[in-house]
Amino acid sequence: MRTSVMKISDAALLNNAAVIRAQVPARVKLMCVVKANAYGHGSVAAARLMQRAGADAFAVAIVEEAAELRNAGVAAPILILGGAGVESLREAVALDVSQAVYSVEALNVLQAEAARLGRRAKAHLKIDTGMSRIGVLGEGELAQLLHHWKRCCPDVEMEGIFTHFCVAECDPEFTKRQNARFAQALAIVRSMGFAPIAHAAATSAMLRSEYQYDMVRAGIGLYGTLVPELQGKLQYAQTLCAKPIRMECIHEGDTVGYGRTFTARRDSRIITVPIGYGDGYPRILSNKADVLVCGKRAPIVGNVCMDMLMADVTDIPEANADSEVVLMGAQGDERITPDELAQLAGTIPYEIMLGFSPRVRTVREGVSGRD
């Protein structure tokens, strides 16, 4: 069996959900975002853990993710955040999950399917306040949709109303403008007799009282990062590791890997690790990132291959063929975080966390994920 493995700490996930739940007022519901396989952490197991820590609801991106949770017995409210086609809308009704809506056409599909099945459909009205991605844009469009909803869609419950801040972590003025637009839309909705749960804040704004409304959507913070206020309290849950498949000495002047992008300046000991960009380890980290061996940093040398990468352990004499290599996670006093890898790769930690392929075996560690 290949030694490359992603270890998921259930204890860390449980801790993070509990920490966030404790920071959010009791009157404010906590929706936990478990889309994209819970950012690479396993959606079903993560949802069960987060329920134990006080999650009130879950958010996913597509109906297939909602179906996975329902099929696993997760009965809590689930919101599909993304847009959907006709078949997905119909399946959402059958699964008893809420769908983000922002068009008359989607409402009509939900109404027809609810009537056909003899049940209520559920929806959260999405307001575009400046993301320019999906959502109702402007008061005229909103009024038209609300009138149609009230007249023609009696079997579709407006369970919620929400928006998405796009720069909450770095642009307070634009976020205030977004919030004002959302508050205005919410007032219009309530004036027409609807009583939805309102939510606007994701991880970057969820601890600010003015943005909490009735519920907050915790996302990346649940997985250990991007909440400066909770630094030291949140824990990273992923550890990516492997065992070397080769350890060999090369001479000064020898080159390593495709393209010969690394030339040894001294006699060196090079290990080959069985993981590469085919597993989701970014090739752009070639000659940039480190791995951990025996609690020390060893630089990656040469281009990351599809299935392997090489690292220089010359300065770690205790390293041997049985030494565990940590590509992301902690070892001894050292830690390589998704944030570090993201900065080196010119991306965001989200992409690092959820980018690993099914070729990397997942092992869960810590508390049980069962209720």
Side-chain angles (χ1 to χ4, degrees):
M1 182 179 291
R2 196 169 183 231
T3 62
S4 303
V5 63
M6 176 68 81
K7 300 176 183 178
I8 306 293
S9 170
D10 286 345
L13 291 176
L14 186 63
N15 169 80
N16 295 345
V19 166
I20 291 171
R21 176 66 273 183
Q23 293 292 320
V24 175
R27 63 171 180 80
V28 177
K29 293 181 180 295
L30 175 63
M31 175 176 278
C32 292
V33 183
V34 293
K35 64 181 179 176
N37 196 33
Y39 296 51
H41 294 74
S43 58
V44 171
R48 288 172 174 163
L49 289 160
M50 292 167 188
Q51 275 192 297
R52 290 169 56 178
D56 299 291
F58 296 100
V60 296
I62 57 177
V63 73
E64 289 85 355
E65 293 172 341
E68 183 181 12
L69 295 181
R70 283 287 186 254
N71 292 338
V74 177
I78 298 172
L79 168 63
I80 299 171
L81 293 165
V86 172
E87 291 305 315
S88 293
L89 291 167
R90 290 172 178 161
E91 189 175 356
V93 179
L95 289 169
D96 189 32
V97 300
S98 295
Q99 172 67 52
V101 297
Y102 46 90
S103 72
V104 166
E105 292 76 15
L107 274 177
N108 288 342
V109 173
L110 293 177
Q111 170 59 35
E113 189 66 5
R116 188 182 75 83
L117 296 177
R119 61 165 61 181
R120 296 274 283 170
K122 298 176 182 176
H124 285 225
L125 175 60
K126 179 65 182 287
I127 307 297
D128 183 358
T129 58
M131 176 76 86
S132 301
R133 187 169 61 175
I134 60 172
V136 178
L137 183 61
E139 291 186 21
E141 188 175 319
L142 176 60
Q144 181 182 8
L145 184 67
L146 292 175
H147 284 296
H148 181 83
W149 200 325
K150 212 161 184 63
R151 288 195 318 269
C152 306
C153 302
D155 298 316
V156 182
E157 174 190 352
M158 188 190 292
E159 184 180 61
I161 178 174
F162 72 113
T163 194
H164 201 112
F165 297 143
C166 54
V167 283
E169 73 285 355
C170 62
D171 191 336
E173 290 307 313
F174 190 78
T175 304
K176 287 178 183 178
R177 291 202 295 274
Q178 280 194 274
N179 190 53
R181 292 168 188 162
F182 180 63
Q184 188 173 13
L186 177 59
I188 293 171
V189 167
R190 288 177 171 166
S191 73
M192 291 191 63
F194 294 98
I197 294 170
H199 50 111
T203 291
S204 295
M206 67 184 178
L207 301 184
R208 304 178 203 173
S209 58
E210 66 270 32
Y211 301 140
Q212 288 175 336
Y213 290 95
D214 304 311
M215 184 163 66
V216 296
R217 301 184 307 272
I220 191 72
L222 290 165
Y223 309 102
T225 190
L226 299 185
V227 190
E229 303 94 326
L230 299 180
Q231 189 172 3
K233 296 181 178 180
L234 300 179
Q235 301 169 8
Y236 293 98
Q238 290 178 318
T239 299
L240 179 65
C241 57
K243 291 286 185 70
I245 55 173
R246 181 179 187 251
M247 178 177 288
E248 192 60 71
C249 293
I250 65 172
H251 298 295
E252 180 182 357
D254 286 348
T255 58
V256 176
Y258 286 118
R260 304 181 69 207
T261 60
F262 175 83
T263 302
R265 297 180 179 178
R266 57 179 175 170
D267 291 351
S268 304
R269 273 203 315 162
I270 305 298
I271 59 170
T272 302
V273 184
I275 192 167
Y277 63 79
D279 303 287
Y281 191 88
R283 187 176 183 273
I284 198 170
L285 295 178
S286 302
N287 297 301
K288 294 180 181 178
D290 295 331
V291 300
L292 302 179
V293 184
C294 301
K296 299 176 182 176
R297 286 180 174 258
I300 291 173
V301 293
N303 281 331
V304 173
C305 309
M306 182 182 291
D307 314 302
M308 293 171 276
L309 58 79
M310 288 69 75
D312 186 344
V313 294
T314 308
D315 295 326
I316 310 175
E318 62 270 38
N320 59 61
D322 291 323
S323 298
E324 183 177 65
V325 179
V326 172
L327 299 99
M328 183 173 73
Q331 190 182 71
D333 295 329
E334 286 282 359
R335 175 180 286 278
I336 295 172
T337 66
D339 309 67
E340 175 184 334
L341 297 180
Q343 185 174 16
L344 291 171
T347 185
I348 54 177
Y350 301 71
E351 187 174 7
I352 299 297
M353 284 182 171
L354 61 83
F356 297 101
S357 81
R359 297 205 317 179
V360 180
R361 184 165 48 98
T362 298
V363 175
R364 306 203 74 87
E365 297 184 327
V367 298
S368 169
R370 296 178 181 175
D371 292 323

mmCIF file of all heavy atoms in Angstrom, residues 215-246:
data_model
loop_
_atom_site.group_PDB
_atom_site.id
_atom_site.type_symbol
_atom_site.label_atom_id
_atom_site.label_comp_id
_atom_site.label_asym_id
_atom_site.label_seq_id
_atom_site.Cartn_x
_atom_site.Cartn_y
_atom_site.Cartn_z
ATOM 1 N N MET A 215 -28.156 34.360 11.850
ATOM 2 C CA MET A 215 -27.295 33.194 11.664
ATOM 3 C C MET A 215 -26.002 33.621 10.989
ATOM 4 O O MET A 215 -25.977 34.587 10.236
ATOM 5 C CB MET A 215 -28.026 32.148 10.789
ATOM 6 C CG MET A 215 -27.288 30.836 10.577
ATOM 7 S SD MET A 215 -28.385 29.516 9.969
ATOM 8 C CE MET A 215 -28.808 30.151 8.342
ATOM 9 N N VAL A 216 -24.925 32.886 11.269
ATOM 10 C CA VAL A 216 -23.651 33.090 10.566
ATOM 11 C C VAL A 216 -23.263 31.785 9.887
ATOM 12 O O VAL A 216 -23.672 30.694 10.293
ATOM 13 C CB VAL A 216 -22.519 33.550 11.508
ATOM 14 C CG1 VAL A 216 -22.830 34.922 12.097
ATOM 15 C CG2 VAL A 216 -22.276 32.528 12.620
ATOM 16 N N ARG A 217 -22.464 31.914 8.815
ATOM 17 C CA ARG A 217 -22.007 30.747 8.070
ATOM 18 C C ARG A 217 -20.501 30.575 8.290
ATOM 19 O O ARG A 217 -19.691 31.274 7.682
ATOM 20 C CB ARG A 217 -22.284 30.908 6.569
ATOM 21 C CG ARG A 217 -23.742 31.113 6.211
ATOM 22 C CD ARG A 217 -23.937 31.161 4.693
ATOM 23 N NE ARG A 217 -23.089 32.133 4.029
ATOM 24 C CZ ARG A 217 -23.400 33.418 3.842
ATOM 25 N NH1 ARG A 217 -24.558 33.890 4.301
ATOM 26 N NH2 ARG A 217 -22.571 34.226 3.215
ATOM 27 N N ALA A 218 -20.126 29.653 9.143
ATOM 28 C CA ALA A 218 -18.706 29.388 9.370
ATOM 29 C C ALA A 218 -18.201 28.449 8.290
ATOM 30 O O ALA A 218 -18.773 27.389 8.059
ATOM 31 C CB ALA A 218 -18.507 28.764 10.744
ATOM 32 N N GLY A 219 -17.114 28.850 7.623
ATOM 33 C CA GLY A 219 -16.539 28.033 6.576
ATOM 34 C C GLY A 219 -15.108 27.670 6.893
ATOM 35 O O GLY A 219 -14.835 26.810 7.715
ATOM 36 N N ILE A 220 -14.163 28.379 6.267
ATOM 37 C CA ILE A 220 -12.750 28.035 6.392
ATOM 38 C C ILE A 220 -12.273 28.051 7.841
ATOM 39 O O ILE A 220 -11.362 27.302 8.212
ATOM 40 C CB ILE A 220 -11.895 28.985 5.508
ATOM 41 C CG1 ILE A 220 -10.447 28.493 5.384
ATOM 42 C CG2 ILE A 220 -11.940 30.406 6.024
ATOM 43 C CD1 ILE A 220 -10.279 27.279 4.529
ATOM 44 N N GLY A 221 -12.870 28.875 8.682
ATOM 45 C CA GLY A 221 -12.479 28.909 10.090
ATOM 46 C C GLY A 221 -12.668 27.585 10.794
ATOM 47 O O GLY A 221 -11.931 27.254 11.738
ATOM 48 N N LEU A 222 -13.645 26.810 10.375
ATOM 49 C CA LEU A 222 -13.885 25.495 10.976
ATOM 50 C C LEU A 222 -12.712 24.555 10.757
ATOM 51 O O LEU A 222 -12.559 23.565 11.485
ATOM 52 C CB LEU A 222 -15.142 24.863 10.377
ATOM 53 C CG LEU A 222 -16.468 25.524 10.756
ATOM 54 C CD1 LEU A 222 -17.569 25.041 9.817
ATOM 55 C CD2 LEU A 222 -16.828 25.217 12.207
ATOM 56 N N TYR A 223 -11.890 24.877 9.774
ATOM 57 C CA TYR A 223 -10.792 23.994 9.409
ATOM 58 C C TYR A 223 -9.439 24.549 9.847
ATOM 59 O O TYR A 223 -8.397 24.057 9.435
ATOM 60 C CB TYR A 223 -10.859 23.709 7.904
ATOM 61 C CG TYR A 223 -12.257 23.240 7.532
ATOM 62 C CD1 TYR A 223 -13.171 24.107 6.927
ATOM 63 C CD2 TYR A 223 -12.695 21.974 7.889
ATOM 64 C CE1 TYR A 223 -14.472 23.697 6.653
ATOM 65 C CE2 TYR A 223 -13.988 21.561 7.620
ATOM 66 C CZ TYR A 223 -14.877 22.427 7.007
ATOM 67 O OH TYR A 223 -16.169 22.020 6.747
ATOM 68 N N GLY A 224 -9.497 25.623 10.677
ATOM 69 C CA GLY A 224 -8.308 26.027 11.412
ATOM 70 C C GLY A 224 -7.620 27.306 11.008
ATOM 71 O O GLY A 224 -6.578 27.644 11.581
ATOM 72 N N THR A 225 -8.188 28.068 10.052
ATOM 73 C CA THR A 225 -7.420 29.214 9.581
ATOM 74 C C THR A 225 -8.295 30.417 9.248
ATOM 75 O O THR A 225 -9.526 30.320 9.198
ATOM 76 C CB THR A 225 -6.585 28.823 8.343
ATOM 77 O OG1 THR A 225 -5.668 29.880 8.034
ATOM 78 C CG2 THR A 225 -7.460 28.539 7.149
ATOM 79 N N LEU A 226 -7.635 31.553 9.038
ATOM 80 C CA LEU A 226 -8.225 32.814 8.583
ATOM 81 C C LEU A 226 -9.208 33.436 9.565
ATOM 82 O O LEU A 226 -10.140 34.129 9.168
ATOM 83 C CB LEU A 226 -8.883 32.644 7.201
ATOM 84 C CG LEU A 226 -7.941 32.230 6.065
ATOM 85 C CD1 LEU A 226 -8.679 32.208 4.736
ATOM 86 C CD2 LEU A 226 -6.731 33.140 5.987
ATOM 87 N N VAL A 227 -8.985 33.216 10.857
ATOM 88 C CA VAL A 227 -9.743 33.927 11.895
ATOM 89 C C VAL A 227 -8.719 34.512 12.876
ATOM 90 O O VAL A 227 -8.399 33.895 13.894
ATOM 91 C CB VAL A 227 -10.731 33.018 12.645
ATOM 92 C CG1 VAL A 227 -11.665 33.865 13.523
ATOM 93 C CG2 VAL A 227 -11.553 32.161 11.686
ATOM 94 N N PRO A 228 -8.175 35.699 12.572
ATOM 95 C CA PRO A 228 -7.116 36.261 13.418
ATOM 96 C C PRO A 228 -7.523 36.379 14.884
ATOM 97 O O PRO A 228 -6.693 36.199 15.784
ATOM 98 C CB PRO A 228 -6.867 37.639 12.802
ATOM 99 C CG PRO A 228 -7.310 37.509 11.386
ATOM 100 C CD PRO A 228 -8.465 36.556 11.404
ATOM 101 N N GLU A 229 -8.813 36.662 15.129
ATOM 102 C CA GLU A 229 -9.286 36.834 16.504
ATOM 103 C C GLU A 229 -9.198 35.541 17.316
ATOM 104 O O GLU A 229 -9.191 35.579 18.544
ATOM 105 C CB GLU A 229 -10.740 37.332 16.519
ATOM 106 C CG GLU A 229 -10.967 38.641 15.770
ATOM 107 C CD GLU A 229 -11.416 38.422 14.340
ATOM 108 O OE1 GLU A 229 -10.979 37.444 13.710
ATOM 109 O OE2 GLU A 229 -12.229 39.239 13.854
ATOM 110 N N LEU A 230 -9.156 34.416 16.627
ATOM 111 C CA LEU A 230 -9.137 33.116 17.316
ATOM 112 C C LEU A 230 -7.806 32.396 17.155
ATOM 113 O O LEU A 230 -7.714 31.184 17.366
ATOM 114 C CB LEU A 230 -10.278 32.232 16.801
ATOM 115 C CG LEU A 230 -11.690 32.777 17.010
ATOM 116 C CD1 LEU A 230 -12.721 31.810 16.458
ATOM 117 C CD2 LEU A 230 -11.954 33.061 18.476
ATOM 118 N N GLN A 231 -6.770 33.156 16.797
ATOM 119 C CA GLN A 231 -5.447 32.555 16.637
ATOM 120 C C GLN A 231 -5.008 31.918 17.949
ATOM 121 O O GLN A 231 -5.108 32.511 19.020
ATOM 122 C CB GLN A 231 -4.434 33.617 16.207
ATOM 123 C CG GLN A 231 -3.089 33.042 15.819
ATOM 124 C CD GLN A 231 -2.168 34.089 15.223
ATOM 125 O OE1 GLN A 231 -2.512 35.267 15.153
ATOM 126 N NE2 GLN A 231 -0.987 33.680 14.797
ATOM 127 N N GLY A 232 -4.531 30.704 17.871
ATOM 128 C CA GLY A 232 -4.132 29.966 19.065
ATOM 129 C C GLY A 232 -5.234 29.099 19.634
ATOM 130 O O GLY A 232 -4.968 28.211 20.447
ATOM 131 N N LYS A 233 -6.473 29.344 19.214
ATOM 132 C CA LYS A 233 -7.598 28.535 19.681
ATOM 133 C C LYS A 233 -8.053 27.530 18.629
ATOM 134 O O LYS A 233 -8.498 26.430 18.971
ATOM 135 C CB LYS A 233 -8.767 29.436 20.078
ATOM 136 C CG LYS A 233 -8.479 30.347 21.258
ATOM 137 C CD LYS A 233 -9.697 31.191 21.611
ATOM 138 C CE LYS A 233 -9.414 32.075 22.821
ATOM 139 N NZ LYS A 233 -10.586 32.914 23.183
ATOM 140 N N LEU A 234 -7.959 27.915 17.364
ATOM 141 C CA LEU A 234 -8.320 27.002 16.287
ATOM 142 C C LEU A 234 -7.134 26.114 15.944
ATOM 143 O O LEU A 234 -5.976 26.497 16.123
ATOM 144 C CB LEU A 234 -8.771 27.785 15.055
ATOM 145 C CG LEU A 234 -9.978 28.698 15.229
ATOM 146 C CD1 LEU A 234 -10.291 29.414 13.926
ATOM 147 C CD2 LEU A 234 -11.190 27.925 15.731
ATOM 148 N N GLN A 235 -7.439 24.932 15.438
ATOM 149 C CA GLN A 235 -6.397 23.947 15.139
ATOM 150 C C GLN A 235 -6.527 23.459 13.698
ATOM 151 O O GLN A 235 -7.631 23.221 13.220
ATOM 152 C CB GLN A 235 -6.527 22.742 16.086
ATOM 153 C CG GLN A 235 -6.428 23.086 17.553
ATOM 154 C CD GLN A 235 -6.817 21.922 18.453
ATOM 155 O OE1 GLN A 235 -7.030 20.804 17.998
ATOM 156 N NE2 GLN A 235 -6.906 22.187 19.743
ATOM 157 N N TYR A 236 -5.402 23.309 13.033
ATOM 158 C CA TYR A 236 -5.410 22.678 11.715
ATOM 159 C C TYR A 236 -5.706 21.193 11.889
ATOM 160 O O TYR A 236 -5.217 20.554 12.823
ATOM 161 C CB TYR A 236 -4.067 22.861 11.015
ATOM 162 C CG TYR A 236 -3.753 24.289 10.650
ATOM 163 C CD1 TYR A 236 -2.943 25.078 11.454
ATOM 164 C CD2 TYR A 236 -4.285 24.856 9.500
ATOM 165 C CE1 TYR A 236 -2.643 26.392 11.128
ATOM 166 C CE2 TYR A 236 -3.993 26.181 9.153
ATOM 167 C CZ TYR A 236 -3.181 26.937 9.977
ATOM 168 O OH TYR A 236 -2.898 28.231 9.648
ATOM 169 N N ALA A 237 -6.486 20.648 10.982
ATOM 170 C CA ALA A 237 -6.926 19.259 11.129
ATOM 171 C C ALA A 237 -6.266 18.307 10.144
ATOM 172 O O ALA A 237 -6.411 17.092 10.268
ATOM 173 C CB ALA A 237 -8.448 19.176 10.972
ATOM 174 N N GLN A 238 -5.540 18.813 9.149
ATOM 175 C CA GLN A 238 -4.956 17.955 8.121
ATOM 176 C C GLN A 238 -3.452 17.771 8.330
ATOM 177 O O GLN A 238 -2.737 18.744 8.599
ATOM 178 C CB GLN A 238 -5.167 18.548 6.728
ATOM 179 C CG GLN A 238 -6.600 18.536 6.235
ATOM 180 C CD GLN A 238 -6.714 19.198 4.870
ATOM 181 O OE1 GLN A 238 -6.096 20.235 4.625
ATOM 182 N NE2 GLN A 238 -7.503 18.626 3.987
ATOM 183 N N THR A 239 -2.992 16.540 8.183
ATOM 184 C CA THR A 239 -1.565 16.241 8.139
ATOM 185 C C THR A 239 -1.309 15.351 6.934
ATOM 186 O O THR A 239 -1.818 14.228 6.858
ATOM 187 C CB THR A 239 -1.087 15.520 9.413
ATOM 188 O OG1 THR A 239 -1.323 16.364 10.552
ATOM 189 C CG2 THR A 239 0.400 15.210 9.333
ATOM 190 N N LEU A 240 -0.555 15.851 5.986
ATOM 191 C CA LEU A 240 -0.216 15.103 4.781
ATOM 192 C C LEU A 240 1.185 14.531 4.959
ATOM 193 O O LEU A 240 2.142 15.280 5.184
ATOM 194 C CB LEU A 240 -0.258 16.019 3.562
ATOM 195 C CG LEU A 240 0.101 15.393 2.223
ATOM 196 C CD1 LEU A 240 -0.910 14.327 1.823
ATOM 197 C CD2 LEU A 240 0.203 16.465 1.139
ATOM 198 N N CYS A 241 1.312 13.203 4.877
ATOM 199 C CA CYS A 241 2.616 12.606 5.149
ATOM 200 C C CYS A 241 2.848 11.375 4.279
ATOM 201 O O CYS A 241 1.930 10.856 3.636
ATOM 202 C CB CYS A 241 2.750 12.254 6.623
ATOM 203 S SG CYS A 241 1.468 11.148 7.240
ATOM 204 N N ALA A 242 4.092 10.904 4.267
ATOM 205 C CA ALA A 242 4.477 9.741 3.468
ATOM 206 C C ALA A 242 5.813 9.222 3.998
ATOM 207 O O ALA A 242 6.436 9.837 4.877
ATOM 208 C CB ALA A 242 4.585 10.111 1.994
ATOM 209 N N LYS A 243 6.253 8.098 3.471
ATOM 210 C CA LYS A 243 7.579 7.556 3.758
ATOM 211 C C LYS A 243 8.411 7.622 2.478
ATOM 212 O O LYS A 243 7.886 7.429 1.370
ATOM 213 C CB LYS A 243 7.477 6.101 4.230
ATOM 214 C CG LYS A 243 6.842 5.907 5.600
ATOM 215 C CD LYS A 243 7.788 6.324 6.707
ATOM 216 C CE LYS A 243 7.209 6.010 8.091
ATOM 217 N NZ LYS A 243 7.169 4.547 8.350
ATOM 218 N N PRO A 244 9.709 7.862 2.597
ATOM 219 C CA PRO A 244 10.550 7.903 1.393
ATOM 220 C C PRO A 244 10.545 6.553 0.671
ATOM 221 O O PRO A 244 10.447 5.501 1.308
ATOM 222 C CB PRO A 244 11.944 8.216 1.938
ATOM 223 C CG PRO A 244 11.729 8.756 3.315
ATOM 224 C CD PRO A 244 10.482 8.114 3.819
ATOM 225 N N ILE A 245 10.636 6.595 -0.640
ATOM 226 C CA ILE A 245 10.792 5.364 -1.405
ATOM 227 C C ILE A 245 12.215 5.218 -1.934
ATOM 228 O O ILE A 245 12.573 4.187 -2.508
ATOM 229 C CB ILE A 245 9.781 5.295 -2.565
ATOM 230 C CG1 ILE A 245 9.882 6.528 -3.461
ATOM 231 C CG2 ILE A 245 8.367 5.123 -2.036
ATOM 232 C CD1 ILE A 245 9.036 6.439 -4.723
ATOM 233 N N ARG A 246 13.027 6.232 -1.732
ATOM 234 C CA ARG A 246 14.444 6.165 -2.107
ATOM 235 C C ARG A 246 15.204 7.232 -1.344
ATOM 236 O O ARG A 246 14.704 8.347 -1.144
ATOM 237 C CB ARG A 246 14.624 6.391 -3.605
ATOM 238 C CG ARG A 246 16.076 6.314 -4.111
ATOM 239 C CD ARG A 246 16.092 6.533 -5.613
ATOM 240 N NE ARG A 246 17.402 6.323 -6.222
ATOM 241 C CZ ARG A 246 18.182 7.298 -6.704
ATOM 242 N NH1 ARG A 246 17.783 8.559 -6.604
ATOM 243 N NH2 ARG A 246 19.327 7.009 -7.273
#
